[in-house]
Amino acid sequence: MDKYGLIGFPLGHSFSISYFNQKFQDEGIDAIYENYEIPTIDALYEVLGSNPNLRGLNVTIPYKEKVMPFLDNVSPEARAIGAVNVIRVTHEGNDIKLKGYNSDVIGFTKSIEPMLEKKWHKKALILGTGGASKAIDYGLRNLGLETVFVSRYQREGTIQYKSITPEIVKEYNVIVNCTPVGMYPKTEVCPDLPYEAMDQHTILYDLIYNPDETLFMKRGAQYGAQTKNGLEMLLLQAFASWEFWHEK
């Protein structure tokens, strides 16, 4: 039986495990998807060694960047982004070959593109600076938008939350939350932004999908902003993972 799985730490609720095991059951695929909660990225070798039937992995926090030196090959897109969230595992004799891809960018761009209007949406704020935010940045720039990263800390090439004025929100009216702020169970918090500056041309996209509507989305919607959570992106990302694992 073929195996697929997810590496990360910690792994609580996982969309992937329920999605793929349901897919295997529904489509009569002789395979299983498991979570591999590894405390350091070096433990990847142990996962590979003890699961000879492993054909593919998804990668989540905090290993999307740390896994790259372990790979034999990285797709041009994932290399440009600087983060990998899908690994194809192939066996050549006694050798295990690992190829890395990024399906986050595919899921995100397909999900947000229908919301964008060229006339109104030219600049975006990306909240957070982790592995997912790099894919979001790559995707938005591919769609023709200028981007700026927002961080809590003073970092080169970023602005801080305290510097975001109503004028900036009017200009950078596509805002993507790539942080865990507002995720279950801490649903009563949201990124610190001047929400009152938002209007019907503002797009608030939250990578979080639990809860369905975060406080970030609710507060923007009060002022007419269009909102979307990360569930569709996850589904599209899962479709792309399967394609990468079975690439000819």
Side-chain angles (χ1 to χ4, degrees):
M1 179 188 286
D2 286 347
K3 271 190 183 180
Y4 301 86
L6 174 69
I7 57 168
F9 189 87
L11 293 178
H13 166 75
S14 158
F15 167 85
S16 299
I17 194 168
S18 47
Y19 170 80
F20 280 110
N21 283 322
Q22 190 64 52
K23 174 186 172 70
F24 299 154
Q25 190 180 325
D26 292 348
E27 298 181 24
I29 297 167
D30 188 25
I32 188 167
Y33 191 103
E34 296 180 337
N35 281 349
Y36 302 105
E37 189 173 77
I38 54 175
T40 70
I41 190 59
D42 294 322
L44 174 61
Y45 291 126
E46 198 180 315
V47 171
L48 295 166
S50 53
N51 294 283
N53 296 344
L54 202 58
R55 298 289 175 262
L57 288 167
N58 289 118
V59 185
T60 190
I61 295 167
Y63 300 133
K64 290 185 182 189
E65 294 149 301
K66 292 176 184 169
V67 78
M68 291 183 74
F70 290 75
L71 307 177
D72 300 289
N73 203 339
V74 178
S75 74
E77 203 166 46
R79 192 169 295 288
I81 292 163
V84 159
N85 75 317
V86 181
I87 299 170
R88 184 181 181 198
V89 183
T90 53
H91 297 261
E92 297 175 12
N94 292 326
D95 291 339
I96 298 172
K97 298 289 183 190
L98 305 178
K99 182 169 183 182
Y101 305 85
N102 193 300
S103 66
D104 281 339
V105 67
I106 297 168
F108 173 70
T109 48
K110 283 186 177 174
S111 179
I112 198 170
E113 193 170 18
M115 301 176 78
L116 298 172
E117 293 181 62
K118 279 197 166 61
K119 181 182 175 184
W120 299 110
H121 303 123
K122 298 186 167 91
K123 297 183 180 183
L125 294 177
I126 299 169
L127 311 183
T129 55
S133 67
K134 292 182 173 185
I136 300 314
D137 177 53
Y138 184 90
L140 287 168
R141 285 189 289 111
N142 264 9
L143 292 168
L145 280 77
E146 282 181 45
T147 59
V148 172
F149 287 99
V150 182
S151 174
R152 287 176 294 170
Y153 310 107
Q154 200 79 36
R155 287 185 178 155
E156 197 182 339
T158 70
I159 63 170
Q160 281 62 59
Y161 286 94
K162 61 176 185 278
S163 306
I164 298 176
T165 61
E167 291 71 30
I168 288 174
V169 164
K170 292 278 188 205
E171 188 181 355
Y172 290 80
N173 58 2
V174 177
I175 305 176
V176 184
N177 180 33
C178 303
T179 77
V181 175
M183 185 158 63
Y184 179 85
K186 296 181 181 175
T187 57
E188 70 295 337
V189 290
C190 64
D192 186 13
L193 300 169
Y195 291 90
E196 68 282 356
M198 297 176 184
D199 59 26
Q200 73 273 22
H201 299 307
T202 310
I203 292 174
L204 295 188
Y205 192 109
D206 204 328
L207 266 56
I208 293 168
Y209 58 94
N210 184 13
D212 290 340
E213 188 182 32
T214 58
L215 189 56
F216 167 71
M217 294 164 65
K218 279 180 189 164
R219 290 195 61 188
Q222 286 173 346
Y223 297 97
Q226 302 174 63
T227 64
K228 191 166 198 174
N229 71 16
L231 187 60
E232 184 184 49
M233 173 182 163
L234 267 178
L235 281 167
L236 293 166
Q237 182 265 111
F239 297 159
S241 295
W242 187 252
E243 296 295 315
F244 288 140
W245 292 332
H246 298 90
E247 198 178 58
K248 291 288 179 277

